[in-house]
Amino acid sequence: MKRGRNDDDAFGMFPSSKKDRDDEEDEKIHVYIPQKASLSLALTAGGDPSAPQPQDAVSHLFPNANFGFLALKPDATKRPLWVSDDGRIFLEAFHSLAEKASDFLVTIAEPVSRPARIHEYKLTTYTLYAAVSVGMETGVLIDVLERYSKVKLPQRVVDFIRDCTNTYGKVKLVLNDNRYYLESTFPKVLRHLLKDPVINEARAFRTDADNAKVEGALAKRLGNGGNAAKVSNQKGSTSTGGNAAKKTSGKQDSKNSDLYNRAAITPANAATDDSAFGAVISLDEEDEEEEEDTAARLGIVDGLSGGTENDGGLVMGPSKASAALVELDYAQSFEIQKLHVEEVKKRCNEIDYPLMEEYDFRHDKDNPDLDINLSPKCQIRDYQEKCLSKMFGGGDGRARSGVIVLPTGAGKTLVGITAACTIKKSALVLCTNAISVEQWTKEFLKWSTIDEKRICKFTSDSRIPFEGDSGILVTTYTMITHSGKRAWDTGRMIDFISSREWGLLILDEVHVVPANVFRRVLTTVATHSKLGLTATLVREDDKIADLNFLIGPKLYEADWQNLSNRGHIAKVEATEVWCPMTGDFYKEYLKSPLRKRRLLCVMNPNKLMAAEYLIRSREAAGDKIIVFSDNVFALQHFAKRLNKPFIYGHTGNKERFALLQHFRDNHPAFKTICLSKVGDTSLDLPEATCLIQISSQFGSRRQEAQRMGRILRAKRRSEEGFRSRFYTLVSQDTDEVAFSDKRKRFLIDQGYMYKVVSDLNQLIPPEEAATLAYHTRKEQVDLLNTVLAHQDEERGFDDDDLMSVMPTAGAGSDGILRGPGGKFKAKAESGRGAVPEKKRHALFAKYYAK
Amino acid sequence: MSTILEHIKTLDNNTLTRLYHQPATCLAILRLLQPLAKHIIMRLLFVGAVEMPVVLNWIFDTKQASLAEALLSLRNFNIAWDENGSLIINQVFQTNLKNALVGGGNTSSFGLPTDSKDKKDITLEYLDTYAKESWETVLHFLVGTPSEKRPTAVVTLMEGSGLMAKPAHSHRPEDLRITNKGFQFLLQDVNEQVWGFLLQYLEMSEQLGMDPVDVLNFFFQLGSLEFGQDYSVDVLTDTQKQMLEDLKHFGLVYQRRKKSSRFYPTRLATSLTSGVAASGDTGDAGYIIVETNFKVYAYTTSPLQIAVLSLFLTLKARFANMVIGILTRDSVREAYNNGISSDQIKQFLTNHAHPEMKKELPPTVVDQIKLWESERKRAVAAPAVLYQDFPRSLEYLEAVGFARELGYVLWSSDQKRMFAVTPEGHVRMKEYMIRKKQQQQQQQQAV
């Protein structure tokens, strides 16, 4: 495997090679993104031409962002936020309704910045898609937003929300008893879909014999649905009063059964479109009643809008969420053939009805259950519960796919474990490297009741599957996507993985993995639901958007400051130390080529002296320190000079474990450890309380956030007033300054403050300075000569383990986007409509070849 | 307020005595003085002179320092002084202050109310609105809001007072930009601002040959007028009529037409010496939130406040009751280029901080504003002398060698045959060059 390829791409930095651009094009072909995803609320110069622009002495200062025309409501002070014409939302975080409002906003909009007092959010097509897919309805969404807004909701925004949500999230792909159904609460939508030739073609028709089986299953479901409808309608009646609700409820039941009966129409009866979809047509007549019913539902909302007590909760609270999600109660559906699932999904994206995928795990009888529960000693925090309620909020025993964003240290792993314990089916966990595999396995054993034999690791050292018919398998992206020659038992493991159905696929650190890797994973693994976990969804290349359609929408994103204030993650004091370049170094810097410049910045003696001083003083204060240097040459040189242990890409696994173990065990010689980029995501160092960054990857906000994550674990040192420390050393007057400015942006938007030490003399006491390495001119000149003599081979910067063994771009490019519909692979032959040979996916070809 | 007193203190005794011929002026000065000084004046007013030991007895021994201070200020104002062991009062001041307090003497000093009724009903609200608008127009002009209305009086005063300045190369009034002094001016309250302008007016009036006594008297007269009453123009001196014309632009007085025989003082004028806030709004509550991510959210509807913010913020968006801006390196540097200092920005943001901010700015933001300021000062200019155009390399090398030996070389380039030396070095270099030249000539002659 060629090392060094793909590294920039993987971290989404600068598109540096042609190959990267190929990747992008490659993706455009294979990620089917709905057309409307490209809609934007951004205003062009000159602002919204349709908006009346009041003129006064300072109007000219706001050429395209004058929202003064939005009328202020008389009771504006009682409402916590502003909504602008371009879809930005500004929330007063100190408002009494702020907490509820921010719960609502994080569901429907992207958090842009969340410092102490005013938070900014942004509405995008993706966030609205996510909102809809967790069950938010267009009407409720607009209604609640209007209620919270100080200014009248701009018509442009209302239109945008309508436009994005009226087709999004309306149709679900449900896998039930081994059959796929397109399910919707909106009969019109189903009718519309059936008119589409591709989808109509894919429709499945059943024989009587099949029906008996199906009906049995449906009856079960129906029972649930009917009950739920009653409950919710009773809720509705509290606001509207009268018997109407009861009547509707009764009707509802009959409506449902009618639909399901018709859905099981035999092919003979299905001669014409009309009769085939009789259920929906007949429902059409009942549209009026349905509207009434909707009104009743909105009644709940209106009722709440009066009282301030409940309103935020309506949308958010797990129990109340179901009230807002009554749509489930009278879902209608038709079945589609397994073989056509991919095609239908693609087609639905094309016609702007992206399918939401839900896994009805409670009714999945095909896949054996796994005996797993949360350990009694484990306590779930409220925000973790919130995450999970988004994932499982779809109703009784259904799981949605999506991404959850929690800062490092806030317990992402536990969220994953809880999800696995809820679904209780086989689960596959993908991590970035072997060390994480160890950690996940350990955590599973610690926090759940899983039998040790039922959990297994699949790494280069361990290739034995779990025992029994269900279990947990933990492995790395690399192992599963490795496309080169495999050892015999590796191949066996891959077969083991790809030959079975998984209930849940957990994707750890989703943000580091390139889209083409995801595609490979998703074509290898047949899974019913996907959960992506990450601390930061920032990517310099904006490829994050694709995750929405590869994994699922972002379900939840935690507020860092909030968690930090409540002690769930450590408080951090971030400091940027400005280190002037020494004269000798700066002279060389000015005349050196770019690559050499970087090394000169990193090796700046003043910087190394500052680093040494910080290490010394923080060690004395009892901190455990990580020193990060992306530049391996600098890392080695510095660590050797100060006699500190270091880990970089070439450090063997055994040595890594040993070093980290010493660090963990508070070994006196291991208070400080120097790491290359491998430490960014791969290592778990629970007791680090101080971080010193001497070289980093350009302006990567993601890396900065990830590194911050290394010291956020608050467990051990939660005493009053304790703060972890984060030092970034920047060589003044060099490129590093601009990069550092960019890197800081993400964390600043999360409300972190960077203190600046602009004068090293303030930091280092003069008597101390003379005792530091590199303080003599002679040593500095020697250092400079070493740097200049250093033949900078291709890679001064270390690759992450993961990326160095990533498949080449071409591999897997023919894989199509696959959802949880793994089922049809194994049982393809049983499907009715056979597909012409050429349309078959490469992966299925082997089944046909038999 | 002290500024007008400080100004008066600088006048010579002669001028002061002339000033005290107006009862209104005497009353205004009495009002502006420190309490202890006021007290002494009142004790002296009807007796004329008191022996010093008695005066010293008025005050507790522990407070003698304050007394000395008060006596000193009275002497500076030429109101009262120690003469032959007695404290005596300036007779002109005495007479006119008595007149002011008990009535009598020159009646027009307090303005002459018109005896006829104005056809148009001028309400107090109308006058307040007029004053506010006029004053804000002036301030808008100061902060650079484009507008057609810019009376010459205002433009001249702004530039003359140094509140605004043109760039070195420009002569067009449109290029006037706010200065450090101008920004400082914005930080003051309205009363201070008005006095600031009036003092500037006073200074310029002297250059224009107007009698400062006349000008000052009119200021104090304005301060003693009654808000809402109309006064006759006819009794004013020519200087004062001219002033009336100018002060209209600042909203201190209202005159319906230029030829109108009556004028109304606004609250800006009548509160000059009263110590009561001049503007209707009682010191606005803080409205600015500064976030740790350098965003600034200002709860304001006032175009003037927005215009002030635009001096150091990049404005991003505006709602009906809030504007959003961001402190960027560029926006802040632009303010610095106009002479506004980091301390002033900090002071402004702190003074107007939203209650949520609890009068405290994020420390990192303050630090950064300071750093942006200090980075402008990193390069220090020092004089140096450059030597160039050496005809041959040899001459260059000899010269630079000589300078280097003495340690004067600041910079040199062998390639360009140039080097720079310190000014001290220049003296020695000159001698060296002359010597070289002579040697050359001698050599040539020898050849």
Side-chain angles (χ1 to χ4, degrees):
Chain A
M1 180 100 285
K2 278 177 284 173
R3 282 182 71 90
R5 225 214 65 67
N6 234 344
D7 47 350
D8 276 354
D9 166 52
F11 282 92
M13 288 307 308
F14 303 117
S16 55
S17 68
K18 194 187 164 294
K19 278 249 163 106
D20 292 332
R21 283 192 295 280
D22 287 351
D23 276 358
E24 275 164 38
E25 280 163 31
D26 187 41
E27 238 164 80
K28 276 203 186 100
I29 300 164
H30 293 286
V31 180
Y32 300 109
I33 291 176
Q35 291 165 15
K36 283 191 180 161
S38 59
L39 283 181
S40 165
L41 262 173
L43 289 167
T44 46
D48 181 1
S50 65
Q53 291 295 339
Q55 292 297 321
D56 65 18
V58 289
S59 312
H60 67 282
L61 295 170
F62 306 91
N64 48 18
N66 194 351
F67 310 119
F69 67 91
L70 300 170
L72 199 65
K73 294 174 188 168
D75 53 352
T77 50
K78 290 185 183 140
R79 302 170 191 259
L81 54 86
W82 291 264
V83 181
S84 79
D85 208 28
D86 56 3
R88 281 181 294 165
I89 299 169
F90 302 89
L91 169 74
E92 286 175 338
F94 49 84
H95 197 279
S96 58
L97 284 174
E99 201 178 322
K100 284 168 184 165
S102 66
D103 272 348
F104 169 70
L105 288 180
V106 82
T107 312
I108 66 156
E110 185 71 33
V112 175
S113 64
R114 290 189 280 192
R117 296 177 181 93
I118 306 265
H119 296 179
E120 282 190 37
Y121 292 82
K122 195 172 184 341
L123 288 171
T124 70
T125 45
Y126 294 110
T127 61
L128 288 169
Y129 170 57
V132 170
S133 60
V134 297
M136 189 82 71
E137 282 181 27
T138 310
V140 177
L141 202 161
I142 294 173
D143 190 69
V144 175
L145 197 57
E146 178 77 81
R147 195 145 31 85
Y148 280 140
S149 177
K150 289 171 188 285
V151 292
K152 194 175 169 339
L153 220 51
Q155 192 54 41
R156 228 170 144 258
V157 170
V158 174
D159 292 345
F160 179 75
I161 294 173
R162 287 234 166 84
D163 207 15
C164 290
T165 56
N166 64 3
T167 61
Y168 279 20
K170 293 286 188 283
V171 195
K172 287 175 190 159
L173 179 67
V174 180
L175 176 57
N176 189 9
D177 275 311
N178 201 17
R179 291 178 184 181
Y180 283 93
Y181 297 91
L182 287 192
E183 187 185 282
S184 177
T185 54
F186 302 88
K188 279 180 190 158
V189 172
L190 285 187
R191 203 170 53 237
H192 177 78
L193 290 182
L194 272 180
K195 278 184 190 145
D196 187 273
V198 178
I199 296 169
N200 197 28
E201 180 82 4
R203 227 185 131 182
F205 301 103
R206 299 244 160 227
T207 62
D208 287 341
D210 291 332
N211 281 335
K213 220 171 106 193
V214 175
E215 265 164 35
L218 286 174
K220 269 189 286 176
R221 268 170 60 83
L222 196 55
N224 287 335
N227 288 338
K230 258 176 216 150
V231 172
S232 72
N233 276 322
Q234 273 159 15
K235 273 188 191 164
S237 70
T238 54
S239 58
T240 50
N243 296 334
K246 227 184 225 168
K247 233 194 315 191
T248 328
S249 159
K251 201 166 257 166
Q252 213 57 61
D253 282 353
S254 66
K255 204 189 283 179
N256 273 343
S257 52
D258 183 38
L259 173 69
Y260 285 117
N261 286 335
R262 303 276 190 114
I265 284 166
T266 59
N269 293 342
T272 63
D273 259 352
D274 275 0
S275 66
F277 205 57
V280 174
I281 300 297
S282 70
L283 276 170
D284 209 20
E285 295 157 16
E286 290 170 7
D287 264 1
E288 271 182 36
E289 275 133 308
E290 191 190 299
E291 267 157 34
E292 266 176 40
D293 202 54
T294 313
R297 272 186 282 144
L298 288 176
I300 308 175
V301 178
D302 288 340
L304 283 160
S305 65
T308 45
E309 290 267 276
N310 269 333
D311 46 12
L314 159 73
V315 191
M316 299 318 316
S319 60
K320 280 171 188 155
S322 56
L325 309 176
V326 268
E327 45 155 305
L328 286 171
D329 302 338
Y330 33 102
Q332 300 146 22
S333 60
F334 61 85
E335 188 185 346
I336 53 168
Q337 297 167 48
K338 282 178 191 165
L339 273 178
H340 290 293
V341 166
E342 274 312 310
E343 224 172 307
V344 169
K345 274 165 75 176
K346 179 186 157 205
R347 183 66 193 157
C348 284
N349 273 338
E350 277 168 9
I351 60 173
D352 269 330
Y353 282 93
L355 295 178
M356 289 171 6
E357 293 162 28
E358 288 190 353
Y359 174 36
D360 193 353
F361 54 86
R362 201 78 38 95
H363 295 100
D364 178 10
K365 298 296 171 224
D366 281 9
N367 290 302
D369 285 347
L370 175 66
D371 181 22
I372 182 172
N373 277 304
L374 270 189
S375 146
K377 67 185 170 186
C378 167
Q379 277 193 330
I380 302 284
R381 295 174 185 158
D382 58 346
Y383 60 91
Q384 290 169 326
E385 204 174 301
K386 228 176 241 176
C387 300
L388 292 160
S389 77
K390 294 280 171 62
M391 187 174 178
F392 296 104
D396 182 35
R398 287 191 180 195
R400 299 183 174 114
S401 296
V403 178
I404 286 174
V405 187
L406 284 178
T408 316
K412 280 197 296 288
T413 313
L414 195 53
V415 170
I417 292 171
T418 315
C421 292
T422 313
I423 292 178
K424 294 189 200 304
K425 300 281 179 191
S426 291
L428 178 64
V429 183
L430 291 181
C431 321
T432 47
N433 59 31
I435 294 174
S436 306
V437 171
E438 286 299 322
Q439 280 155 8
W440 269 93
T441 316
K442 250 189 246 160
E443 299 274 305
F444 255 108
L445 290 169
K446 186 173 170 193
W447 298 115
S448 79
T449 59
I450 182 110
D451 183 347
E452 217 167 314
K453 289 174 190 147
R454 291 290 189 114
I455 184 163
C456 71
K457 291 174 277 192
F458 172 34
T459 60
S460 50
D461 303 329
S462 158
R463 304 186 184 101
I464 301 154
F466 52 74
E467 291 178 15
D469 53 2
S470 62
I472 309 278
L473 193 146
V474 190
T475 184
T476 62
Y477 292 101
T478 317
M479 290 304 285
I480 206 163
T481 55
H482 186 64
S483 57
K485 243 178 102 183
R486 289 178 177 127
W488 175 80
D489 46 358
T490 307
R492 200 190 55 166
M493 278 302 274
I494 297 283
D495 287 344
F496 175 78
I497 292 169
S498 59
S499 66
R500 52 199 297 123
E501 281 182 21
W502 299 89
L504 173 67
L505 172 66
I506 295 176
L507 301 138
D508 195 20
E509 311 286 2
V510 276
H511 58 277
V512 293
V513 189
N516 60 335
V517 173
F518 277 126
R519 282 200 303 275
R520 278 183 73 80
V521 167
L522 297 177
T523 46
T524 314
V525 182
T527 180
H528 288 284
S529 57
K530 289 161 284 185
L531 174 63
L533 296 172
T534 178
T536 39
L537 265 187
V538 213
R539 265 178 86 144
E540 260 53 44
D541 60 358
D542 285 333
K543 281 184 185 166
I544 288 301
D546 298 345
L547 288 183
N548 273 292
F549 296 96
L550 280 165
I551 299 175
K554 185 173 71 185
L555 297 171
Y556 186 76
E557 180 165 355
D559 179 348
W560 293 47
Q561 286 307 301
N562 188 349
L563 294 189
S564 158
N565 289 339
R566 295 192 297 152
H568 294 312
I569 53 177
K571 284 198 191 306
V572 175
E573 189 177 298
T575 311
E576 185 176 280
V577 183
W578 289 2
C579 310
M581 291 283 270
T582 62
D584 296 331
F585 271 70
Y586 201 56
K587 212 181 246 173
E588 283 303 326
Y589 174 87
L590 289 175
K591 52 186 187 197
S592 293
L594 200 62
R595 193 174 283 274
K596 189 61 99 188
R597 278 183 165 209
R598 252 181 248 153
L599 191 59
L600 285 164
C601 297
V602 180
M603 300 295 272
N604 173 12
N606 282 330
K607 186 190 256 192
L608 300 184
M609 283 165 74
E612 189 188 353
Y613 173 75
L614 288 171
I615 290 172
R616 220 185 260 179
S617 59
R618 292 323 303 171
E619 272 190 358
D623 275 338
K624 301 184 80 173
I625 305 159
I626 306 176
V627 178
F628 267 112
S629 169
D630 271 29
N631 188 300
V632 172
F633 175 73
L635 176 85
Q636 284 174 315
H637 190 97
F638 183 69
K640 281 176 186 161
R641 176 70 176 77
L642 297 188
N643 201 15
K644 300 288 179 197
F646 64 94
I647 296 177
Y648 70 116
H650 289 295
T651 312
N653 265 349
K654 272 205 185 116
E655 197 184 340
R656 291 184 189 192
F657 275 119
L659 289 176
L660 291 176
Q661 198 52 45
H662 284 314
F663 187 71
R664 222 168 256 137
D665 294 345
N666 297 318
H667 191 289
F670 291 82
K671 283 180 179 168
T672 300
I673 192 161
C674 304
L675 303 176
S676 77
K677 230 158 72 174
V678 294
D680 280 349
T681 55
S682 322
L683 309 175
D684 184 55
L685 303 159
E687 286 188 64
T689 50
C690 173
L691 194 149
I692 301 168
Q693 192 168 238
I694 57 174
S695 120
S696 47
Q697 192 182 28
F698 312 107
S700 168
R701 295 167 291 169
R702 187 196 61 71
Q703 192 188 44
E704 187 92 345
Q706 207 71 39
R707 286 187 172 170
M708 173 76 96
R710 301 289 103 191
I711 50 170
L712 285 181
R713 294 182 191 281
K715 286 161 202 162
R716 298 289 166 94
R717 311 236 351 217
S718 52
E719 67 249 44
E720 192 66 26
F722 172 77
R723 281 160 190 277
S724 294
R725 278 157 214 272
F726 184 86
Y727 294 99
T728 304
L729 307 189
V730 177
S731 285
Q732 234 175 326
D733 305 309
T734 68
D735 299 337
E736 285 187 355
V737 176
F739 285 135
S740 174
D741 275 347
K742 181 158 186 255
R743 293 172 64 83
K744 290 189 293 189
R745 227 169 285 161
F746 172 75
L747 288 171
I748 285 178
D749 279 340
Q750 296 298 329
Y752 283 95
M753 295 195 271
Y754 280 80
K755 219 170 76 187
V756 173
V757 175
S758 59
D759 185 0
L760 270 190
N761 295 328
Q762 286 171 1
L763 183 76
I764 308 175
E767 68 275 12
E768 193 94 2
T771 65
L772 295 170
Y774 308 112
H775 86 279
T776 61
R777 177 76 189 269
K778 185 186 172 300
E779 216 180 342
Q780 292 183 4
V781 172
D782 286 351
L783 182 67
L784 180 62
N785 288 333
T786 316
V787 170
L788 294 178
H790 173 62
Q791 277 309 310
D792 207 21
E793 68 279 4
E794 288 91 285
R795 309 187 315 105
F797 290 80
D798 199 11
D799 293 335
D800 197 296
D801 291 3
L802 171 66
M803 296 311 132
S804 55
V805 282
M806 272 300 156
T808 50
S813 62
D814 58 343
I816 52 167
L817 171 61
R818 297 227 7 232
K823 274 199 171 184
F824 63 95
K825 173 183 52 185
K827 302 179 181 170
E829 281 119 320
S830 67
R832 274 176 53 97
V835 199
E837 193 68 30
K838 58 182 177 194
K839 278 196 189 168
R840 268 181 212 134
H841 188 273
L843 191 73
F844 314 127
K846 57 181 173 188
Y847 294 104
Y848 287 95
K850 275 173 197 168
Chain B
M1 207 77 94
S2 56
T3 45
I4 180 69
L5 284 182
E6 276 163 21
H7 180 85
I8 292 171
K9 223 188 269 184
T10 63
L11 299 175
D12 60 66
N13 287 351
N14 218 350
T15 316
L16 281 172
T17 307
R18 274 208 301 137
L19 199 59
Y20 297 150
H21 276 102
Q22 289 297 332
T25 305
C26 296
L27 183 62
I29 288 177
L30 178 74
R31 279 172 165 184
L32 293 173
L33 286 170
Q34 295 303 311
L36 191 53
K38 277 183 200 168
H39 186 79
I40 295 167
I41 292 173
M42 293 314 288
R43 289 218 176 184
L44 284 172
L45 188 57
F46 290 95
V47 294
V50 177
E51 284 176 22
M52 273 315 276
V54 180
V55 174
L56 295 177
N57 260 337
W58 289 344
I59 305 294
F60 289 120
D61 286 351
T62 51
K63 295 286 178 191
Q64 287 297 331
S66 314
L67 177 67
E69 199 183 304
L71 290 175
L72 180 68
S73 89
L74 288 176
R75 188 165 62 225
N76 284 338
F77 286 113
N78 201 27
I79 292 172
W81 55 88
D82 181 2
E83 199 175 289
N84 303 328
S86 292
L87 186 65
I88 62 167
I89 192 167
N90 180 330
Q91 283 186 4
V92 179
F93 187 86
Q94 184 187 23
T95 315
N96 287 298
L97 186 57
K98 261 198 250 173
N99 283 343
L101 295 177
V102 302
N106 180 358
T107 46
S108 69
S109 173
F110 290 95
L112 185 66
T114 49
D115 37 19
S116 62
K117 199 166 160 28
D118 199 340
K119 284 172 290 192
K120 286 251 172 80
D121 190 24
I122 303 294
T123 62
L124 300 186
E125 291 77 40
Y126 180 84
L127 286 174
D128 274 342
T129 315
Y130 168 80
K132 189 164 186 274
E133 270 174 12
S134 312
W135 188 248
E136 288 204 344
T137 309
V138 171
L139 294 182
H140 264 300
F141 176 64
L142 177 62
V143 298
T145 310
S147 129
E148 292 93 57
K149 269 168 68 186
R150 42 176 69 174
T152 331
V154 178
V155 177
T156 321
L157 199 56
M158 288 290 185
E159 201 180 358
S161 57
L163 296 182
M164 295 179 87
K166 288 177 203 143
H169 51 85
S170 168
H171 296 289
R172 300 182 311 161
E174 298 91 277
D175 289 335
L176 280 175
R177 292 284 175 277
I178 187 165
T179 62
N180 175 290
K181 209 174 152 193
F183 196 80
Q184 191 63 40
F185 181 80
L186 285 175
L187 295 172
Q188 299 168 335
D189 71 34
V190 178
N191 201 289
E192 282 176 308
Q193 288 176 341
V194 174
W195 268 119
F197 266 132
L198 292 181
L199 278 174
Q200 194 55 47
Y201 188 88
L202 183 67
E203 213 166 275
M204 288 170 63
S205 67
E206 282 172 53
Q207 292 162 16
L208 293 172
M210 288 157 97
D211 182 359
V213 172
D214 233 4
V215 175
L216 272 172
N217 278 336
F218 190 55
F219 288 167
F220 291 124
Q221 180 182 337
L222 282 175
S224 68
L225 298 183
E226 195 188 331
F227 180 53
Q229 175 67 49
D230 51 340
Y231 293 91
S232 165
V233 174
D234 300 336
V235 293
L236 299 179
T237 66
D238 285 347
T239 302
Q240 290 172 342
K241 280 178 188 156
Q242 175 58 42
M243 287 173 72
L244 192 64
E245 191 55 36
D246 293 338
L247 295 182
K248 275 199 299 196
H249 297 302
F250 296 94
L252 265 70
V253 290
Y254 171 75
Q255 204 180 6
R256 197 155 56 241
R257 279 175 292 108
K258 206 174 172 180
K259 296 277 181 232
S260 179
S261 62
R262 62 183 83 224
F263 73 93
Y264 293 83
T266 69
R267 238 190 267 270
L268 287 176
T270 58
S271 57
L272 273 175
T273 53
S274 71
V276 177
S279 53
D281 45 23
T282 46
D284 48 1
Y287 61 96
I288 299 175
I289 288 183
V290 182
E291 270 295 5
T292 49
N293 59 357
F294 295 83
K295 294 243 174 82
V296 175
Y297 304 86
Y299 290 71
T300 179
T301 52
S302 153
L304 181 62
Q305 283 173 341
I306 296 169
V308 174
L309 288 171
S310 76
L311 291 175
F312 56 88
L313 284 184
T314 305
L315 292 173
K316 288 288 182 195
R318 181 186 189 186
F319 285 99
N321 65 339
M322 200 236 334
V323 291
I324 298 155
I326 183 160
L327 284 163
T328 65
R329 184 168 174 269
D330 287 345
S331 72
V332 173
R333 276 172 73 98
E334 201 185 316
Y336 294 155
N337 287 339
N338 286 329
I340 297 170
S341 73
S342 64
D343 282 332
Q344 286 176 328
I345 294 176
K346 183 187 155 199
Q347 198 194 339
F348 182 85
L349 292 173
T350 316
N351 284 357
H352 298 287
H354 191 277
E356 269 303 312
M357 301 290 297
K358 303 186 178 72
K359 287 283 164 202
E360 220 173 293
L361 302 180
T364 47
V365 173
V366 176
D367 285 354
Q368 187 61 65
I369 292 177
K370 290 244 164 76
L371 286 170
W372 280 326
E373 187 176 49
S374 62
E375 77 181 10
R376 287 161 47 87
K377 296 172 187 157
R378 283 184 64 197
V380 182
V385 181
L386 182 71
Y387 289 82
Q388 59 179 359
D389 293 337
F390 290 92
R392 278 174 306 177
S393 182
L394 179 71
E395 277 147 21
Y396 160 77
L397 286 174
E398 274 181 11
V400 76
F402 173 79
R404 194 166 281 146
E405 220 165 86
L406 297 172
Y408 291 138
V409 176
L410 293 169
W411 170 84
S412 67
S413 166
D414 293 354
Q415 222 171 1
K416 294 178 183 163
R417 288 185 201 160
M418 289 160 99
F419 65 93
V421 298
T422 58
E424 306 85 71
H426 181 51
V427 184
R428 299 288 298 274
M429 284 307 288
K430 263 197 291 198
E431 295 167 8
Y432 166 85
M433 292 308 234
I434 292 166
R435 210 164 51 234
K436 270 280 156 192
K437 216 168 200 174
Q438 285 168 350
Q439 279 176 9
Q440 260 176 10
Q441 282 166 354
Q442 281 166 6
Q443 278 171 1
Q444 274 170 357
Q445 281 165 2
V447 172

